[in-house]
């Protein structure tokens, strides 16, 4: 007995030490890995404290941190073992704040909220290039692919949703200086779910594809991935058919950045992925060939070189590249690339290009071809993702859009992108304030106004009608005369020179002028100052494609190009909308979409420019924290109360801290929380009691409560050991009772699990017994013993019958043999199926009659509602009463007209009056009037034989339809004018 007690003592001392170690770890973890929700950061206004917390977690590979329900993600630049199927299962159906921050937690919370509230949501993923936006959207898609219900149909939708990513990345992503897989377009994807949570469809919207990249790349950058994938990974036969060589250096559009090969990109492997994805998304072989034909043609177009003729104009002389350009005749293409068509009233004049103008026209055509093909590709993917299952679907949108961009030289593209971010920041603050205010009102807590920077002043500077930068840019692009980038800059200085967020070299003070060139202007965005170089603004905003360039494309033999440059497209003499105006309109549409949904946010941060794991650049991260508006968002969340939890959750965790609520509380959760916080000594200004939640103002209050809870857990463990080491003469019986308490708890738990398992097995045995008993009594009348089995038999038979229905009425033997209980139902289904098929045949005959007589014979419309008689028309031999008129005197005689498979017969009672072989039947004539006369034209070599027959038939349309089917020639029946 003493030996056993010593063993118990050693075991329990070890457990006590473990409890103590866990408690100490909990108390010090906050210092080591930071706080997992910035809302609990104190002081919350300190940017340094924010960065310090982010750095601590990053160095511990904790890349995710919350700001309330907003998720901050720092790119680790290495593989982390946190995205497995096991991790997905861990986060499925779990309270948002119950587990450490993770993108799966956000995705799961969005999904469960959508299902419970039956409303639409969107997740906005933002951050600068290389911060991990694309990867974040992939992780969310993968989570939904695993967590959603699975059927064969839903799996097809899931696969298409997942594989749309590599296709869009190939055609819309490229290597830039900051990111080897940078999205060069904005993407909004709707994932549609049915009432059970299954993904049933999707839809993609794209924004502002960077078309200029097709014809120009900066040093160290590449064109879109698909060009390199085709050249490096394309099959030999395909390259030969496209006229391409396996060498990127041979193509002008691929070598300007001088980095065709990138160590982190495997173009050959990516090519195989894209080919597989296209087949899954249901691109036909023809679509795929035409698509790659366009990509190859863009490369050939870039290699076209222009010569100068004697007059200084551009010419093309036997350029081999022209043979591979979309099947367009060389002469047409040559004129389209070297001349511009000018229309003057009724005359058309072709004005020759200089070499510079010809190069501009060539590049404009290449950009237009690629841009329109990309739009076609997105639409084609949308057709594949279309919801064909559920009419009522809720939606989760994923918005993966470019973040705020600040380069050493910022041009028109950065201006558009940063304008987009200004609009999204405006929306972000509005929606955040709105959701906070709604929660306060719902809980009955007074809303306290939140001071924040309203960036409406910057949005108005850019988009205000008649005075904004966009209006001024469009005005300069569209005005007659010599408009240049410099005249645009001068107009801005004249119209908005006094704006506090706008400055140029001319308007700035002496210190500012040192940092601005004469062709620059600077905007003070919400995220900080950005200097834009005005060179190229007008040209990029116009993005003009000459009218005859479109006409050239319409002569292409490529089906996709014909679709992208339709002949129905109006060739208006008005100039098309500028790029920035189109972008502004698309942003308005996007804002309307987002305002109709509940928002969730993922903010992605790039820790360093060198893409090195473990390196945290404070200056770079501080800049991103600023322009992502994270401190602004934190201030909004912390303006009132830092922490809010439902009463049930708060009480369940902290009830050991109060003797009145421990171990079991019998009253309402709100009353229990009120007792608990009174015992803890909360001051009135430190908390508020809402209708369903407790609101705690300061993080320090919550931390003090959490630390007290950790100490309390330790004390609960010490109760088992109290007095052990101080009293060596403890009663053995009491000692064992106390020290074996953990063993007792473990035994109780194991017993509970065993009882549940026993109940589960007993239920299974009951079901199996009932099934066997039902099988044994299956041929007896329905009773309690076989009712469930017979229900299973019925369902099983009908399910198999649905998949194995006979194709025709004649396949009667192929009808599934029914079980005895389904014999009557089976017979009724056979009769019903035969009836339906017969009706279908009659309807098809009606369709054929329509093609023969609709719009040709006056009384045809009155016959439409008159059904064909299946007892006549569905038989091999067809018979119908007619009136035959003699050729001499036109005396009427009642006859029977019979069609067999070989000949037509005119019969009087049982006597055949005339036989007409179908080989001698030259045709049948009817008038276009409302009579029922028909004439059978018969070839008659012998003068003694009877000739043409003049008949009148009340079933004219039925008879002639049957005749056309027998002779297999609708054209034998002619409708003539008059009688």
């Amino acid at each position: 007995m003493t030996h056993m007690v010593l063993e118990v003592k050693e075991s329990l001392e070890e457990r006590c030490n473990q409890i103590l170690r866990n408690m100490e770890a909990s108390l010090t973890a906050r210092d080591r890995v930071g706080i997992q929700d910035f809302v609990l950061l104190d002081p919350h206004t300190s940017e340094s404290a924010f960065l310090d917390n982010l750095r601590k977690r990053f160095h511990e590979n904790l890349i995710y941190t919350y700001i309330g329900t907003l998720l901050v993600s720092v790119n680790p630049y290495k593989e982390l073992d946190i995205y497995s199927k096991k991790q997905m299962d861990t986060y499925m159906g779990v309270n948002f704040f119950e587990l450490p921050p993770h993108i799966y937690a956000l995705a799961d919370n969005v999904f469960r909220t959508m299902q419970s509230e039956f409303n639409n949501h969107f997740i906005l993923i933002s951050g600068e290039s290389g911060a991990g936006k694309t990867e974040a959207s992939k992780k969310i898609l993968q989570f939904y692919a695993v967590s959603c219900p699975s059927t064969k149909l839903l799996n097809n939708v899931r696969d298409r949703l997942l594989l749309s990513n590599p296709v869009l990345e190939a055609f819309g992503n490229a290597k830039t200086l900051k990111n080897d897989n940078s999205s060069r377009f904005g993407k909004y994807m709707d994932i549609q779910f049915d009432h059970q949570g299954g993904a049933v469809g999707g839809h993609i919207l794209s924004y502002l594809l960077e078309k200029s990249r097709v014809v120009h790349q900066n040093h160290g950058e590449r064109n879109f991935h698909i060009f390199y994938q085709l050249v490096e990974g394309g099959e030999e036969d395909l390259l030969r058919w496209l006229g391409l060589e396996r060498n990127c250096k041979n193509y002008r559009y691929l070598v300007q950045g001088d980095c065709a090969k990138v160590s982190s990109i495997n173009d050959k492997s990516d090519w195989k992925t894209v080919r597989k994805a296209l087949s899954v998304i249901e691109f036909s072989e023809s679509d795929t060939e035409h698509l790659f034909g366009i990509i190859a043609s863009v490369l050939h177009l870039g290699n076209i070189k222009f010569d100068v003729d004697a007059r200084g104009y551009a010419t093309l002389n036997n350029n081999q590249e022209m043979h591979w350009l979309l099947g367009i005749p060389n002469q047409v293409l040559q004129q389209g690339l070297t001349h511009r068509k000018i229309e003057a009233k009724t005359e058309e004049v072709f004005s020759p290009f200089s070499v510079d103008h010809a190069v501009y026209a060539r590049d404009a055509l290449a950009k237009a071809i690629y841009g329109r093909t990309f739009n076609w590709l997105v639409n084609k993917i949308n057709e594949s993702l279309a919801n064909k299952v559920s009419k009522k679907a809720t939606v989760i949108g994923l918005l993966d859009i470019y973040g705020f961009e600040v380069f050493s030289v910022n041009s028109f593209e950065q201006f558009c992108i940063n304008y987009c971010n200004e609009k999204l920041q405006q929306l972000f603050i509005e929606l955040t304030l709105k959701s906070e205010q709604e929660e306060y009102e719902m809980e009955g807590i007074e809303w306290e106004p939140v001071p924040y920077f309203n960036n409406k002043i910057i949005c108005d500077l850019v988009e205000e009608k008649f005075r904004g930068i966009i209006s001024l840019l469009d005005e300069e692009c569209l005005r007659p005369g010599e408009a240049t980038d410099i005249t645009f800059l001068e107009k801005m200085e004249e119209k908005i020179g006094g704006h506090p967020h706008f400055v140029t070299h001319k308007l700035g003070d002496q210190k500012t002028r040192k940092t601005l060139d004469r062709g620059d202007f600077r905007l003070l965005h919400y995220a900080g100052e950005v200097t834009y170089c005005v060179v190229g603004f007008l040209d990029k905003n116009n993005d003009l494609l000459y009218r005859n360039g479109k006409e050239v494309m319409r002569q292409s033999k490529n089906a996709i190009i014909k679709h992208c440059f339709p002949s129905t497209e109006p060739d208006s003499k008005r100039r098309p909308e500028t790029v920035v105006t189109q972008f502004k309109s698309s942003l308005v549409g996007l804002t309307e979409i987002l305002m109709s949904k509940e928002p969730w946010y993922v903010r992605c941060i790039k820790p360093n420019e060198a893409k090195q794991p473990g390196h945290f650049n404070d200056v770079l991260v501080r800049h991103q924290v600023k322009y992502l508006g994270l401190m602004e968002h934190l201030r909004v969340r912390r303006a009132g109360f830092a922490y809010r939890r439902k009463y049930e959750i708060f009480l369940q965790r902290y009830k050991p801290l109060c003797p009145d609520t421990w171990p079991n509380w019998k009253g309402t959760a709100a009353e229990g929380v009120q007792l608990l916080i009174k015992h803890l000594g909360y001051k009135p200004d430190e908390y508020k009691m809402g209708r369903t939640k407790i609101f705690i103002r300061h993080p320090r209050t919550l931390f003090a409560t959490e630390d007290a809870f950790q100490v309390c857990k330790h004390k609960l463990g010490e109760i088992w050991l109290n007095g052990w080491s101080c009293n060596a003469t403890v009663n053995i019986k009491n000692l064992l009772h106390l020290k074996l308490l953990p063993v007792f708890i473990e035994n109780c738990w194991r017993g509970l699990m065993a009882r549940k398992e026993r109940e589960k097995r007993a239920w299974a045995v009951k079901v199996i017994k009932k099934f066997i008993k039902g099988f044994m009594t299956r041929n007896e009348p329905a009773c309690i013993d076989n009712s469930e089995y017979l229900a299973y038999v019925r369902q099983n038979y009908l399910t198999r019958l649905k998949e194995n229905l006979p194709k025709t009425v004649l396949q009667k033997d192929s009808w599934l043999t029914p079980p005895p209980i389904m014999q009557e139902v089976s017979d009724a289904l056979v009769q019903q199926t035969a009836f339906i098929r017969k009706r279908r045949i009659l309807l098809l005959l009606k369709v054929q009659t329509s093609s023969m007589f609709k719009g040709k014979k006056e009384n045809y419309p009155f016959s439409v509602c008159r059904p064909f008689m299946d007892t006549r028309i569905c038989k091999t031999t067809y018979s119908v009463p007619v009136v035959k008129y003699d050729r001499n005197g036109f005396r009427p005689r009642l006859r029977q007209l019979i069609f067999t498979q070989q000949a037509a017969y005119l019969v009087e009672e049982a006597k055949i009056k005339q036989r007409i072989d179908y080989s001698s039947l030259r045709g049948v004539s009817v008038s276009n009037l409302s009579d029922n006369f028909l004439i059978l034209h018969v070839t008659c070599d012998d003068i003694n034989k009877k000739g043409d027959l003049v008949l009148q038939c009340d079933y004219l349309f039925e008879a002639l339809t049957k005749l056309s089917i027998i002779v297999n020639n609708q054209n034998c029946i002619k409708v003539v004018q008059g009688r």
Side-chain angles (χ1 to χ4, degrees):
M1 178 65 73
T2 304
H3 178 68
M4 186 175 73
V5 171
L6 290 173
E7 285 184 352
V8 171
K9 173 187 174 182
E10 290 173 2
S11 173
L12 290 172
E13 278 184 341
E14 178 58 33
R15 289 195 183 194
C16 179
N17 291 332
Q18 183 64 43
I19 291 170
L20 184 59
R21 285 195 296 270
N22 289 343
M23 185 207 70
E24 290 170 350
S26 298
L27 292 174
T28 58
R30 206 178 303 133
D31 296 326
R32 182 173 59 85
V33 300
I35 295 165
Q36 64 183 26
D37 189 346
F38 280 112
V39 171
L40 302 178
L41 186 68
D42 216 357
H44 70 278
T45 56
S46 169
E47 200 172 76
S48 298
F50 191 100
L51 285 174
D52 185 53
N53 189 62
L54 208 58
R55 189 190 311 104
K56 284 179 182 178
R57 296 181 62 76
F58 175 75
H59 287 311
E60 293 292 332
N61 290 327
L62 300 172
I63 63 171
Y64 296 119
T65 312
Y66 293 138
I67 305 178
T69 55
L70 179 146
L71 182 70
V72 180
S73 170
V74 184
N75 194 337
Y77 290 122
K78 63 181 178 181
E79 293 294 328
L80 297 178
D81 187 23
I82 58 173
Y83 302 109
S84 62
K85 171 68 167 57
K86 184 179 178 182
Q87 284 282 73
M88 293 185 189
D89 292 338
T90 302
Y91 279 90
M92 279 183 209
V94 177
N95 182 278
F96 187 58
F97 295 101
E98 191 173 323
L99 293 172
H102 202 292
I103 198 162
Y104 292 160
L106 181 102
D108 180 70
N109 203 35
V110 176
F111 180 74
R112 286 189 293 112
T113 306
M114 176 200 70
Q115 279 197 294
S116 62
E117 298 178 359
F118 299 105
N119 56 0
N120 299 326
H121 297 253
F122 76 89
I123 303 173
L124 170 57
I125 306 170
S126 59
E128 75 169 54
S129 182
K133 300 187 299 297
T134 303
E135 285 301 312
S137 64
K138 285 182 188 176
K139 296 295 185 243
I140 293 171
L141 273 176
Q142 288 165 4
F143 180 82
Y144 289 145
V146 172
S147 63
C148 293
S150 177
T151 66
K152 186 176 180 181
L153 179 62
L154 296 181
N155 287 347
N156 286 338
V157 175
R158 177 199 65 192
D159 292 342
R160 291 172 194 170
L161 282 167
L162 289 174
L163 290 174
S164 65
N165 257 333
V167 174
L168 290 174
E169 282 185 19
F171 286 84
N173 288 25
K175 181 199 179 303
T176 64
L177 293 173
K178 294 192 172 187
N179 184 3
D180 291 348
N181 186 33
S182 176
S183 298
R184 306 317 298 160
F185 70 106
K187 180 178 73 174
Y188 175 78
M189 173 189 276
D190 267 341
I191 311 169
Q192 299 164 353
F193 298 88
D194 61 17
H195 66 283
Q196 294 179 326
V200 293
H203 188 80
I204 296 168
L205 296 174
S206 63
Y207 299 94
L208 196 67
L209 177 72
E210 189 186 18
K211 293 186 292 185
S212 61
R213 183 168 293 273
V214 175
V215 300
H216 174 75
Q217 307 92 43
N218 294 324
H219 184 77
E221 297 190 348
R222 298 206 315 176
N223 209 322
F224 293 103
H225 293 324
I226 189 63
F227 292 108
Y228 306 92
Q229 291 171 4
L230 175 59
V231 173
E232 295 292 338
E235 298 78 10
E236 291 293 343
D237 291 344
L238 177 63
L239 294 183
R240 197 178 303 113
W241 180 67
L242 296 174
L244 295 177
E245 300 173 4
R246 200 180 295 284
N247 187 352
C248 294
K249 293 182 180 179
N250 292 344
Y251 302 100
R252 178 181 171 276
Y253 283 165
L254 302 186
V255 297
Q256 296 173 55
D258 196 24
C259 63
K261 300 271 187 182
V262 182
S263 60
S264 63
I265 299 176
N266 187 335
D267 291 313
K268 290 182 179 179
S269 173
D270 292 342
W271 167 259
K272 293 177 182 177
T273 303
V274 170
R275 290 284 291 201
K276 178 186 175 184
L278 288 173
S279 63
V280 172
I281 301 172
E282 293 186 334
F283 276 61
S284 66
E285 194 63 35
S286 173
D287 286 338
T288 306
E289 287 178 0
H290 288 144
L291 184 60
F292 294 144
I294 293 171
I295 300 304
S297 295
V298 171
L299 293 179
H300 288 302
L301 189 60
N303 279 5
I304 288 180
K305 296 179 180 178
F306 298 95
D307 297 324
V308 185
D309 65 10
R311 295 176 300 166
Y313 296 132
T315 62
L316 282 169
N317 297 319
N318 299 321
N319 201 310
Q320 293 298 316
E321 304 290 348
M322 293 174 63
H323 297 296
W324 304 99
L325 289 176
L326 305 168
I328 300 171
N330 280 7
Q331 188 175 359
V332 174
L333 187 62
Q334 185 168 350
Q335 187 177 48
L337 291 175
T338 58
H339 290 76
R340 177 184 180 184
K341 184 167 76 171
I342 301 173
E343 295 183 6
K345 294 185 179 179
T346 58
E347 291 184 324
E348 290 184 353
V349 179
F350 286 90
S351 173
F353 284 143
S354 66
V355 171
D356 289 342
H357 274 100
V359 169
Y360 176 86
R362 177 200 66 191
D363 289 348
L365 186 60
K367 290 188 288 183
I369 290 171
Y370 194 85
R372 294 191 183 203
T373 301
F374 185 81
N375 291 337
W376 174 89
L377 179 72
V378 172
N379 292 333
K380 185 73 176 176
I381 292 173
N382 283 336
E383 288 176 17
S384 173
L385 296 178
N387 176 9
K388 303 179 182 70
V389 181
S390 176
K391 291 183 180 178
K392 291 185 177 180
T394 46
V395 164
I396 294 177
L398 287 178
L399 179 58
D400 172 5
I401 203 156
Y402 9 66
F404 204 84
E405 288 193 351
V406 185
F407 298 139
S408 55
V409 177
N410 301 288
S411 187
F412 177 77
E413 292 84 3
Q414 282 68 50
F415 173 76
C416 291
I417 287 169
N418 294 342
Y419 162 55
C420 171
N421 276 270
E422 286 287 357
K423 292 294 289 181
L424 290 176
Q425 175 67 9
Q426 189 180 32
L427 177 71
F428 171 60
I429 293 295
E430 283 179 13
L431 291 178
T432 303
L433 282 171
K434 180 184 172 186
S435 64
E436 283 286 292
Q437 191 168 356
E438 284 177 352
E439 183 174 16
Y440 276 53
E441 289 174 356
M442 191 168 58
E443 291 293 328
I445 293 176
E446 184 181 352
W447 171 251
E448 301 173 6
V450 179
Y452 68 96
F453 171 65
N454 189 343
N455 68 333
K456 184 178 184 298
I457 186 174
I458 305 171
C459 294
D460 289 345
L461 169 65
V462 175
E463 66 184 8
E464 187 179 1
K465 277 189 177 182
F466 310 120
R467 284 183 51 82
I469 294 175
I470 290 176
S471 292
L472 298 177
L473 178 59
D474 283 353
E475 185 180 324
E476 199 67 11
C477 286
L478 301 177
R479 77 171 175 85
E482 285 296 320
T484 65
D485 296 319
I486 297 301
T487 60
F488 164 58
L489 181 63
E490 290 170 352
K491 177 162 283 191
M492 285 196 295
E493 289 172 339
E494 176 189 343
K495 298 288 185 181
I496 57 176
H499 198 285
H501 289 261
F502 173 84
V503 68
T504 65
H505 183 276
K506 178 181 177 181
L507 300 173
D509 56 25
Q510 189 173 1
K511 182 179 179 182
T512 303
R513 289 181 180 181
K514 291 180 180 179
T515 61
L516 284 171
D517 291 335
R518 295 188 182 277
D520 291 348
F521 69 93
R522 181 173 294 163
L523 297 182
L524 179 57
H525 289 279
Y526 77 91
E529 294 179 343
V530 182
T531 302
Y532 299 98
C533 176
V534 80
V535 176
F537 262 61
L538 266 64
D539 190 27
K540 291 176 181 178
N541 189 41
N542 276 320
D543 193 30
L544 288 178
L545 175 63
Y546 295 120
R547 190 175 306 137
N548 52 320
K550 297 179 184 177
E551 294 173 356
V552 168
M553 288 297 103
R554 287 169 191 154
Q555 299 194 39
S556 170
K557 296 177 182 177
N558 187 294
I560 298 176
I561 290 295
K562 284 184 176 180
H563 184 274
C564 292
F565 293 87
S567 57
T568 55
E569 182 180 355
D571 283 328
S572 172
K573 294 181 181 179
R574 293 181 59 190
R575 292 175 65 135
E577 277 192 332
T578 60
V579 172
V580 74
T581 299
Q582 293 177 41
F583 185 56
K584 177 184 173 183
S585 300
S586 65
L587 271 184
V588 171
L590 176 63
T591 303
E592 290 173 355
I593 291 172
L594 299 183
M595 288 293 285
S596 67
K597 296 177 172 63
E598 295 296 320
W600 302 78
Y601 305 97
V602 178
R603 296 295 202 230
C604 299
I605 290 177
K606 181 164 65 172
N608 61 79
E609 293 282 13
K611 306 168 193 172
Q612 292 179 353
H615 180 55
F616 191 91
N617 185 323
D618 282 32
V619 175
L620 179 65
V621 174
R622 186 186 298 270
H623 178 65
Q624 293 172 82
V625 166
K626 185 177 181 180
Y627 77 61
L628 286 172
L630 298 183
M631 295 301 297
E632 201 77 24
H633 184 74
L634 179 56
R635 277 194 290 274
V636 170
R637 285 303 306 261
R638 277 292 302 273
F641 297 87
Y643 176 89
R644 72 274 325 248
R645 281 294 181 275
K646 286 192 174 294
Y647 290 134
E648 292 80 5
I649 296 173
F650 188 85
L651 181 64
Q652 180 64 32
R653 181 167 184 81
Y654 297 119
K655 66 181 180 180
L657 298 177
C658 175
D660 295 327
T661 56
W662 175 260
N664 295 308
W665 171 249
K666 303 298 184 184
T668 65
E671 292 170 347
V673 171
Q674 190 72 59
L675 269 176
L676 175 59
I677 60 178
K678 184 178 179 182
H679 178 78
L680 293 173
Y682 280 21
K683 296 177 181 178
D685 64 336
E686 290 182 334
Y687 74 96
K688 289 281 186 183
M689 299 289 285
R691 293 190 177 95
T692 64
K693 296 178 181 178
I694 178 173
F695 288 70
I696 297 176
R697 188 177 298 278
H698 304 297
R700 60 176 178 268
T701 307
L702 179 68
F703 290 152
T705 306
E706 180 65 23
D707 292 346
F709 173 65
Q710 296 296 337
V711 172
C712 181
K713 280 201 303 184
H714 173 55
K715 287 182 177 178
L716 287 174
E718 279 186 333
I719 290 174
W720 298 340
L721 298 174
N722 259 345
W724 168 257
S725 55
C726 300
N727 189 356
T729 60
V730 172
N731 183 285
I732 293 296
K733 184 177 180 180
N734 292 339
L735 180 67
L736 287 176
H737 177 72
L738 182 65
K739 303 307 176 183
L740 293 177
L741 187 57
V743 179
F744 172 74
I745 294 172
E746 185 178 355
N747 288 342
C748 289
W749 176 255
R750 289 179 180 273
L752 176 64
M753 292 295 101
R755 285 190 292 276
K756 284 187 177 181
E757 182 67 21
R758 184 187 65 188
E759 290 172 5
K760 187 177 177 182
R761 292 187 180 187
W763 172 83
V765 168
K766 186 178 178 181
V767 171
I768 294 169
K769 279 184 178 179
K770 199 166 189 177
F771 190 87
I772 294 171
K773 200 168 186 179
F775 176 78
M776 295 171 67
T777 59
R778 65 189 182 282
N779 296 323
E780 298 177 9
C783 61
I784 194 170
D785 289 334
N786 62 10
S787 59
E788 290 189 19
Y789 179 80
L790 293 179
Y792 165 76
V793 169
R794 292 188 195 97
Q795 181 183 357
N796 181 262
Y797 173 69
L798 291 174
T799 303
R800 288 188 298 117
L801 182 62
K802 176 187 172 184
E803 298 172 356
N804 297 279
L805 282 172
K807 303 299 180 186
T808 66
V809 181
L810 299 175
Q811 295 178 320
K812 293 181 179 178
D813 296 339
S814 66
W815 191 273
L816 284 180
T817 304
I821 193 173
M822 294 297 288
Q823 185 64 54
E824 186 179 345
V825 174
S826 178
D827 294 341
L829 287 173
V830 169
Q831 293 177 7
Q832 187 70 15
T833 305
F835 173 76
I836 291 171
R837 287 202 169 116
K838 199 170 287 184
R839 292 287 295 168
R840 182 174 179 272
I841 292 170
L842 294 177
L843 285 172
L844 289 174
L845 290 172
K846 278 283 188 182
V847 171
Q848 185 164 332
T849 306
S850 174
S851 67
M852 293 163 60
F853 295 106
K854 185 178 180 182
K856 300 177 182 178
K857 191 161 176 61
E858 282 183 5
N859 61 338
Y860 167 73
F862 303 104
S863 73
V864 173
C865 60
R866 187 176 172 185
F868 290 161
M869 294 298 292
D870 61 320
T871 53
R872 285 197 303 265
I873 200 165
C874 291
K875 293 184 177 179
T876 307
T877 302
Y878 175 81
S879 174
V880 66
V882 297
V883 176
K884 184 251 183 189
Y885 290 89
D886 291 345
R887 283 173 293 172
N888 296 322
F890 292 99
R891 183 178 175 183
R893 301 180 185 277
L894 293 176
R895 296 285 187 267
Q896 198 77 15
L897 181 62
I898 299 174
F899 296 140
T900 68
Q901 295 300 310
Q902 290 77 33
Y905 297 90
L906 201 62
V907 178
E908 181 184 13
E909 295 180 351
K911 184 180 178 181
I912 297 176
K913 302 297 288 183
Q914 187 172 348
R915 183 180 191 274
I916 304 163
D917 292 325
Y918 295 136
S919 60
S920 63
L921 182 66
R922 290 186 292 114
V924 181
S925 295
V926 296
S927 77
N928 67 333
L929 303 177
S930 57
D931 57 73
N932 290 324
F933 285 94
L934 68 149
I935 301 175
L936 301 182
H937 301 286
V938 183
T939 302
C940 189
D941 297 330
D942 189 345
I943 196 169
N944 295 320
K945 288 187 177 180
K946 296 180 179 180
D948 295 352
L949 287 175
V950 179
L951 306 174
Q952 184 179 9
C953 178
D954 290 339
Y955 303 97
L956 178 70
F957 298 106
E958 181 182 291
L960 292 180
T961 302
K962 183 66 178 181
L963 178 61
S964 70
I965 292 171
I966 292 174
V967 301
N968 195 25
N969 183 7
Q970 292 184 27
N971 297 325
C972 71
I973 299 166
K974 304 288 184 183
V975 179
V976 297
Q977 299 293 322
R979 291 186 180 276

